[in-house]
C-alpha cells in the first residue's frame, strides 16, 4: 500500500518539473522582489500537494492516486500563466492555493459517509448563500454573483454548487425509490408524485432564479446540467432528463424573449464579427488569440494574450491556446478528460448510492464547468462568465474546487478501506 | 446505477470530443485567417517590440532610421521628400510603401536566422532587432535631382550602366514620409498626387528618345544603314497621315538624322523594319514585359502587332502613337548603348546586414538582363549620340571636360504642352552614369530636360571621382 502513494509522488514530481520549467521562463530575466515571489510560489506550489500525499499515506492510503497529480497539473498551468499575465494576481493566487490546500486537508479529516445525514442543512446553506449574493451582491461583468467582505470579495455560487451536489446526493440516495414510483400513469407517460418531485422543482426554480436575478448564466447552466445528470444517474430514467431539458429550454426561451442581456449573448455568439469593436470584442479577441497560436503556439511569454479582456479569469484558456498552441490547449482538455474518467471510475466503485451520486455529481459539476467555459471561449457555444476550474484566477473558485477534490479523494479512500 | 454512470461518462466524453473538434477547426483550420485578420493587432504589436532596421545610401548616409522622441520610438527619413520614392513610408494607418514596404520582412528581422535570434532576445526580455538595408542610391545626387526638378511634374532616373545600380530615382512632386499620418488623405486627393511614383509608374510617350531604339534595330537588321543618306523634305505622308519635321532638312547621313532628330527619317526606318521586327526589337529592351526591380514598375508598351503598320508604326518609331514608356525603361535604353548593347538588371539594394552589421544576409551581384543589340551597333549609336550633344538638339546637356552622349525628346501628348525628355550617358568613352529625365508638359527636351541632365551628370561624375 505504501508503494502506491510513491507512484503518486512520482507523478507530482513530474508535474512540478512542468511548473519549474514554466516559472523559469519568466523568472530568469527578473530580479528583486518579483523574482523572489516567483521562487516562493514555485517551491510552495510544488511542496503543498506532496504534503497532501504524505497525509493520504497516513489517513487514506487507498485514495485515488491520479486525482492529486492531475489537479496539480491544472493548478500549475494556471499559476504559470498568471505569472505571465498578471504577477500581482499570481502572487495572490499562490496564497489562495495555500488556503485551498488547508481546506483540502480539512475535508480529508472528515468521513464522507457521515455527510449523508445533513441533506436539509445543505439546501438551507445553499439557498442562504445564494440569497446573500442576490441581496448584497456586487455586479461584476454583468453578473451579480460577488459578495464584498471587507478586503475580500467572495463568489458564493462556487460553494453553493458543492452544497447543492451534497444535497442532491443525499436526497436522491434516500428518495430514489420513491421517485421511481409513478403516481399518475398514463399509457405513454408517467409523472412522479408531486410531494417528492417538489424539492427537484425547487432546484429548477433556483437555476432560473439565478439566471434571471443574478444574470449568472454560466452558473445556472452548470447547476441545471449537474442536476439533470444526477437525476438520470439516480433514477436511470431518460424521461426525467428529457422533461428537465424541455423545462430548461422553455425557461431559456422565455428569458431570451424577456431579457435583453440573454438576447445579446446569443446574438454575439451567432455573429461576433458584426460588432468587433463593441459587443463582440471579447470573443473576437479570444478567437484571434487562439487562431494565432496555431499548432505549436507562439511560445510561453511570446504571444499577446493581454489583448483579451479578463484574460486572467474567464479567458485564461485563450491565453494558453495562444502561447502553447493546439497541442498545449488540447493537452489541457485531455487532463480534464482523464479527471472525468477517474471520477466516474471511483463513482462506480463506491458501495453506497450516496457515494456514487456524490462522486458522479462532483465530477460532472467540475467537468461540465470546464466544458462550458472552454466551449464559450472557442465560440462553440454562447459565452458565459465562469472560471476554468483550478486554472483561472479566483480565490473562491480555487478553494471550492480543492474542497471538491478533497471529497473525491475522501470517497475513493473510504471505499477501498472496507 | 453503474449503467447510467457509464452512459453519463460517455456523454460528457462526447461533449469533450466536440471541444477537440471545434478547437481543431478554430485553431488549425481557421488559424491563419484569424492571425492575418486586419483587426488582429498581433503583428502590429510584434512590430512595436522590434527595433526596425535602417536604410542607408551607398555612402552610408541614413535614409530611414529611428529616433527616440519623448521616450517613444519614431521613424525618421532625413532626406524626406527627395528620397521618398525610394524609401516609401511607414504608417500604422496607411500601411507601408516603397522599400519600407517591399523589404518589411528584413527591416523587422524576419529572415530565418534573425528570427531565431530574435526569439531568444524576446525570451530574455530584450528588444528584437531588424536588418539594415544598404542601397545603391547616392542621397546627395538624389537630393540634387529633386531640387533640379523645382517642384515641376517629372522624374529622374540615374543608373550605373555597367552594373545596373540605381544611383538616383526621383519623382516630383513628392511627399515627406514623416507627415503621412496627417497629410495622407489630402495627398490622395491632390492633383498631381505626390504619392504617385512617376519614375516607375508614370507612362509617357517617349518621343524622340525612342529613336535610339529604332536606330539600334535598323543597324542590327542592316549594318550598312549607317553609310546611307536619308532625305527629309519636311514631311512624310503615310497612308493619309502626315508626319512633320521642324524644317526640310534635305539629305542627311545617319548621324545627322540623330543631330536634327528627323522624324521623317526615323519613321521611314520604322516602316522599313516592319511591325513584327519593331515590336520584337522593342521587347528586347524591356517593352511589353516586366522589368525586374525591387519596387513595382509599370509595363512599358507598344501597340499590339495587328495595329503596328502604316501610321501607327511610323508614329511609334519616333516615340509617339500608342507607345508608352516609364522613365526607368528609357534610362535602361540609354544604359544599353552605354554598356555595349547589354542591359544590366537594375537594382536598388546593394546589401542587407544584421542589426550589428556583423553578418551579411544579402549582397547584390550585377547580372546581364537583356542584350538587345551588338557592341558594334552600340559603338555606332554612341558616336551618333555624342553628336547630338556636341552639335545637335542636345547641346544643353554638355558638361565641360566630359564627353556626354544623349538624345532629346519632345513628346506630344493629349494633356497639353509637350513632355520634355532627355536620355543619355557619360563619359562616352567609358560610361559611368546613364540618365533619363522627363518634365511633364514643359516644352522642348533640348531646352528643359537637357540642362537638368547636364547638372546631374556633372554631380554624378564628381561624386564618383571621390570614390
Amino acid at each position: 500500500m505504501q508503494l502506491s502513494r510513491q507512484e503518486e509522488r512520482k507523478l507530482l514530481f513530474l508535474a512540478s518539473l512542468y511548473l519549474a520549467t514554466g516559472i523559469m521562463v519568466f523568472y530568469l530575466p527578473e530580479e528583486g522582489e518579483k523574482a523572489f515571489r516567483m521562487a516562493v510560489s514555485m517551491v510552495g506550489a510544488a511542496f503543498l500537494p506532496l504534503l497532501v500525499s504524505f497525509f493520504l499515506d497516513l489517513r487514506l492510503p487507498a485514495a485515488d492516486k491520479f486525482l492529486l497529480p492531475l489537479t496539480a497539473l491544472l493548478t500549475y498551468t494556471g499559476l504559470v500563466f498568471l505569472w505571465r499575465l498578471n504577477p500581482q494576481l499570481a502572487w495572490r493566487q499562490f496564497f489562495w492555493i495555500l488556503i485551498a490546500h488547508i481546506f483540502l486537508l480539512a475535508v480529508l479529516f472528515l468521513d464522507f459517509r457521515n455527510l449523508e445525514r445533513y441533506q436539509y442543512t445543505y439546501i438551507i446553506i445553499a439557498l442562504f448563500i445564494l440569497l446573500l449574493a442576490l441581496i448584497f451582491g456586487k455586479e461584476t461583468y454583468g453578473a451579480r454573483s460577488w459578495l464584498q467582505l471587507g478586503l475580500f470579495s467572495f463568489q458564493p455560487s462556487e460553494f453553493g454548487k458543492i452544497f447543492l451536489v451534497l444535497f442532491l446526493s443525499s436526497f436522491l440516495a434516500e428518495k430514489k425509490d420513491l421517485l421511481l414510483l409513478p403516481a399518475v400513469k398514463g399509457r405513454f407517460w408517467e409523472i412522479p408524485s408531486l410531494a417528492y418531485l417538489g424539492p427537484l422543482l425547487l432546484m429548477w426554480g433556483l437555476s432560473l432564479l439565478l439566471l434571471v436575478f443574478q444574470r449568472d448564466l454560466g452558473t445556472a447552466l452548470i447547476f441545471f446540467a449537474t442536476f439533470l445528470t444526477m437525476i438520470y444517474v439516480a433514477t436511470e430514467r431518460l424521461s426525467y432528463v428529457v422533461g428537465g431539458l424541455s423545462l430548461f429550454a422553455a425557461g431559456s426561451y422565455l428569458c431570451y424573449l424577456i431579457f435583453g442581456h440573454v438576447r445579446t449573448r446569443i446574438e454575439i455568439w451567432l455573429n461576433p464579427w458584426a460588432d468587433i469593436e463593441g459587443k463582440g470584442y471579447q470573443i473576437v479577441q479570444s478567437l484571434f488569440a487562439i487562431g494565432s497560436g496555431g499548432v505549436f503556439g507562439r511560445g510561453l511569454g511570446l504571444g499577446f494574450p493581454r489583448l483579451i479582456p479578463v484574460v486572467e479569469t474567464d479567458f485564461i484558456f485563450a491565453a494558453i491556446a495562444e502561447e502553447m498552441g493546439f497541442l498545449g490547449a488540447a493537452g489541457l482538455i485531455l487532463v480534464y478528460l482523464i479527471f472525468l474518467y477517474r471520477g466516474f471510475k471511483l463513482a462506480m466503485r463506491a458501495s453506497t448510492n450516496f457515494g456514487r451520486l456524490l462522486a458522479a455529481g462532483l465530477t460532472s459539476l467540475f467537468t461540465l464547468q470546464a466544458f462550458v467555459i472552454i466551449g464559450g471561449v472557442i465560440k462553440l457555444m454562447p459565452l458565459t462568465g465562469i472560471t476554468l476550474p483550478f486554472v483561472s484566477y479566483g480565490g473562491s473558485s480555487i478553494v471550492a474546487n480543492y474542497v471538491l477534490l478533497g471529497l473525491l479523494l475522501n470517497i475513493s479512500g473510504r471505499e477501498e478501506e472496507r | 446505477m453503474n449503467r447510467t454512470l457509464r452512459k453519463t461518462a460517455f456523454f460528457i466524453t462526447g461533449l469533450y470530443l466536440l471541444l477537440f473538434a471545434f478547437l481543431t477547426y478554430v485553431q488549425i483550420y481557421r488559424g491563419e485567417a484569424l492571425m492575418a485578420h486586419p483587426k488582429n493587432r498581433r503583428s502590429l504589436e510584434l512590430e512595436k517590440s522590434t527595433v526596425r532596421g535602417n536604410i542607408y545610401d551607398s555612402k552610408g548616409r541614413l535614409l530611414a532610421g529611428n529616433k527616440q522622441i519623448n521616450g517613444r520610438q519614431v521613424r525618421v527619413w532625413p532626406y524626406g521628400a527627395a528620397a521618398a520614392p525610394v524609401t516609401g513610408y511607414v504608417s500604422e494607418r496607411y500601411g507601408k510603401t516603397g522599400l519600407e514596404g517591399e523589404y518589411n520582412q528584413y527591416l523587422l528581422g524576419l529572415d530565418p536566422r534573425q528570427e531565431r535570434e530574435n526569439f531568444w532576445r524576446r525570451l530574455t526580455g530584450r528588444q528584437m532587432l531588424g536588418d539594415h538595408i544598404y542601397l545603391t542610391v547616392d542621397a546627395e545626387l538624389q537630393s540634387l535631382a529633386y531640387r533640379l526638378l523645382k517642384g515641376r511634374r517629372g522624374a529622374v532616373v540615374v543608373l550605373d550602366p555597367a552594373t545596373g545600380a540605381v544611383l538616383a530615382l526621383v519623382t516630383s512632386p513628392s511627399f515627406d514620409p514623416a507627415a503621412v499620418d496627417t497629410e495622407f488623405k489630402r495627398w490622395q486627393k491632390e492633383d498631381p498626387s505626390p504619392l504617385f511614383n512617376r519614375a516607375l509608374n508614370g507612362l509617357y510617350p517617349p518621343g524622340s528618345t525612342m529613336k535610339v531604339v529604332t536606330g539600334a534595330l535598323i543597324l542590327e537588321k542592316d549594318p550598312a544603314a549607317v553609310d546611307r543618306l536619308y532625305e527629309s523634305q519636311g514631311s512624310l505622308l503615310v497612308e493619309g497621315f502626315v508626319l512633320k519635321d521642324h524644317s526640310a532638312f534635305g539629305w542627311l547621313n545617319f548621324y545627322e538624322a540623330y543631330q536634327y532628330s528627323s522624324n521623317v527619317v526615323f519613321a521611314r526606318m520604322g516602316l522599313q523594319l516592319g511591325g513584327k521586327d519593331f515590336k520584337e526589337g522593342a521587347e528586347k529592351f524591356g517593352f511589353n514585359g516586366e522589368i525586374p526591380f525591387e519596387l513595382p514598375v509599370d509595363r512599358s508598351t507598344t501597340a499590339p502587332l495587328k495595329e503596328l503598320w502604316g501610321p501607327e508604326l511610323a508614329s511609334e518609331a519616333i516615340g509617339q502613337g500608342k507607345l508608352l514608356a516609364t522613365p526607368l525603361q528609357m534610362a535602361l535604353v540609354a544604359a544599353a548603348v552605354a554598356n555595349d548593347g547589354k542591359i544590366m538588371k537594375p537594382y536598388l539594394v546593394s546589401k542587407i546586414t544584421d542589426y550589428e552589421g556583423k553578418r551579411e544576409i544579402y549582397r547584390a551581384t550585377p547580372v546581364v538582363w537583356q542584350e538587345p543589340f551588338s557592341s558594334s551597333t552600340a559603338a555606332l549609336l554612341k558616336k551618333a549620340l555624342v553628336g547630338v550633344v556636341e552639335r545637335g538638339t542636345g547641346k544643353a546637356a554638355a558638361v565641360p571636360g566630359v564627353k556626354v552622349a544623349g538624345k532629346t525628346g519632345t513628346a506630344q501628348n493629349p494633356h497639353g504642352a509637350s513632355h520634355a525628355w532627355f536620355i543619355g550617358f557619360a563619359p562616352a568613352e567609358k560610361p559611368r552614369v546613364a540618365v533619363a529625365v522627363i518634365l511633364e508638359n514643359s516644352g522642348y527636351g533640348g531646352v528643359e530636360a537637357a540642362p537638368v541632365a547636364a547638372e546631374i551628370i556633372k554631380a554624378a561624375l564628381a561624386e564618383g571621382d571621390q570614390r
Side-chain angles (χ1 to χ4, degrees), chain A residues 10-30:
Chain A
K10 254 184 225 164
L11 291 173
L12 282 173
F13 174 71
L14 290 177
S16 61
L17 281 183
Y18 167 79
L19 171 72
T21 314
I23 298 257
M24 276 302 163
V25 169
F26 304 111
Y27 173 81
L28 289 176
E30 291 292 340

Side-chain angles (χ1 to χ4, degrees), chain A residues 176 229 232-233 236 273 277 281 287-292 294 298 301-302 304 307 321-322 325-326 329-330 333-334 336-337 340 344 347-348 353 356 360 367-368 370-371 374-375 378-380, chain B residues 1-13 15-20 22-24 26-28 30-35 37-43 45-46 49 119 122-125:
Chain A
K176 175 180 163 256
T229 309
Y232 174 64
V233 169
E236 311 195 333
W273 305 98
E277 303 288 351
Y281 188 76
L287 291 175
F288 281 162
I290 296 167
S292 304
R298 311 289 292 178
L302 301 180
F304 297 94
L307 294 172
E322 176 176 4
F326 175 77
I333 300 175
L334 208 58
Y336 285 106
L337 203 54
L340 173 83
F344 271 86
M348 283 183 214
N353 280 341
R356 281 192 199 113
T367 50
L368 285 171
F371 170 76
I374 294 175
I378 68 177
K379 206 178 89 73
L380 173 65
Chain B
M1 207 180 256
N2 278 2
R3 191 176 57 88
T4 43
L5 279 175
R6 194 170 294 122
K7 279 191 180 169
T8 309
F10 280 144
F11 177 72
I12 300 177
T13 305
L15 291 179
Y16 272 66
L17 293 181
L18 221 59
L19 281 186
F20 283 121
F22 202 77
L23 186 66
T24 310
V26 170
Q27 198 159 21
I28 298 174
R30 295 263 321 275
E32 265 175 46
L34 286 167
M35 178 69 197
H37 194 284
K39 292 273 181 183
N40 189 344
R41 290 209 302 272
R42 280 176 176 70
S43 42
E45 295 288 330
L46 201 65
S49 46
F119 179 80
R122 268 193 88 193
L123 269 186
T124 49

Side-chain angles (χ1 to χ4, degrees), chain A residues 266-318:
Chain A
I266 305 286
E267 276 158 20
I268 292 170
W269 173 56
L270 290 175
N271 187 11
W273 305 98
D275 191 8
I276 296 182
E277 303 288 351
K279 291 182 190 135
Y281 188 76
Q282 274 194 335
I283 185 71
V284 164
Q285 290 306 319
S286 168
L287 291 175
F288 281 162
I290 296 167
S292 304
V295 178
F296 298 102
R298 311 289 292 178
L300 195 54
L302 301 180
F304 297 94
R306 300 300 312 267
L307 294 172
I308 319 163
V310 289
V311 66
E312 300 93 346
T313 53
D314 299 2
F315 281 94
I316 199 157
F317 182 79

Side-chain angles (χ1 to χ4, degrees), chain A residues 323-342:
Chain A
E323 300 205 330
M324 313 249 281
F326 175 77
L327 293 178
L332 194 74
I333 300 175
L334 208 58
V335 174
Y336 285 106
L337 203 54
I338 300 171
F339 205 112
L340 173 83
Y341 167 72
R342 294 308 300 179

Side-chain angles (χ1 to χ4, degrees), chain B residues 53-321:
Chain B
N54 296 338
I55 303 179
Y56 295 103
D57 86 338
S58 60
K59 305 243 168 69
R61 289 178 285 233
L62 193 69
L63 291 176
N66 310 300
K67 210 175 218 164
Q68 293 288 335
I69 295 176
N70 299 331
R72 250 180 83 238
Q73 214 183 79
V74 178
R75 191 74 168 165
V76 290
W77 293 271
Y79 285 86
V86 175
T87 60
Y89 59 75
V90 178
S91 159
E92 271 184 31
R93 206 171 316 156
Y94 304 110
K96 303 178 187 73
T97 59
L99 291 176
E100 293 273 22
E102 302 291 331
Y103 280 71
N104 190 41
Q105 298 291 93
Y106 286 103
L107 292 167
L108 287 179
L110 294 176
D111 68 284
R113 193 156 150 200
Q114 189 62 33
E115 208 176 9
R116 252 175 290 144
E117 194 179 318
N118 279 338
F119 179 80
W120 289 115
R121 294 187 69 90
R122 268 193 88 193
L123 269 186
T124 49
R126 288 176 295 168
Q127 269 191 310
M128 296 187 289
L129 301 173
D131 302 327
H132 294 318
I133 293 179
Y134 292 82
L135 305 187
T136 54
V137 167
D138 183 310
E140 288 304 322
L141 188 65
Q142 177 90 13
S143 299
L144 173 75
Y146 181 65
R147 282 199 303 277
L148 289 169
L149 292 178
K150 293 182 191 147
R152 294 173 288 179
R153 276 174 292 136
V156 173
V157 177
V158 187
L159 299 167
D160 179 342
T163 60
V166 173
L167 306 178
L169 191 124
V170 174
T171 183
S172 168
S174 185
F175 62 92
D176 179 5
V180 65
D181 278 325
T182 51
E183 302 292 319
F184 185 82
K185 290 226 162 93
R186 194 168 61 79
W187 291 339
Q188 239 181 349
K189 275 181 249 149
E190 234 172 279
D191 184 41
S193 172
L195 296 169
F196 183 56
N197 193 333
R198 283 149 211 278
L200 303 178
N201 311 113
L203 287 167
Y204 307 96
S208 299
T209 59
M210 191 63 187
K211 289 169 185 168
V212 178
V213 174
T214 308
L217 297 181
I218 274 290
L219 288 177
E220 284 292 286
K221 195 174 183 182
D222 173 18
V226 74
D227 301 320
R228 291 217 181 86
L229 286 179
Y230 303 87
E231 192 185 14
S232 163
Q233 303 95 339
S235 66
L236 177 70
L237 184 73
V238 189
E239 317 258 339
F241 172 79
V242 182
L243 225 137
K244 280 190 176 141
D245 265 341
H246 278 295
S247 56
F249 296 121
W251 290 95
L252 300 169
N253 66 20
F254 185 81
Y255 302 107
E256 286 165 334
Y258 271 105
Q259 280 166 38
Y260 296 111
S261 194
S262 168
N263 291 335
V264 170
V265 173
F266 284 96
R268 255 200 223 115
M269 286 180 184
L271 293 170
Q272 188 192 331
L273 278 167
K276 187 165 175 286
D277 281 8
F278 177 78
K279 181 167 176 282
E280 282 170 7
E283 279 167 3
K284 280 198 217 157
F285 284 84
F287 281 85
N288 297 330
E290 299 283 344
I291 295 175
F293 199 51
E294 288 97 333
L295 296 174
V297 185
D298 271 48
R299 200 181 276 240
S300 304
T301 52
T302 66
L305 188 57
K306 63 175 190 295
E307 291 174 33
L308 266 181
W309 58 276
E312 180 60 30
L313 180 57
S315 301
E316 293 205 4
I318 59 164
Q320 297 286 165

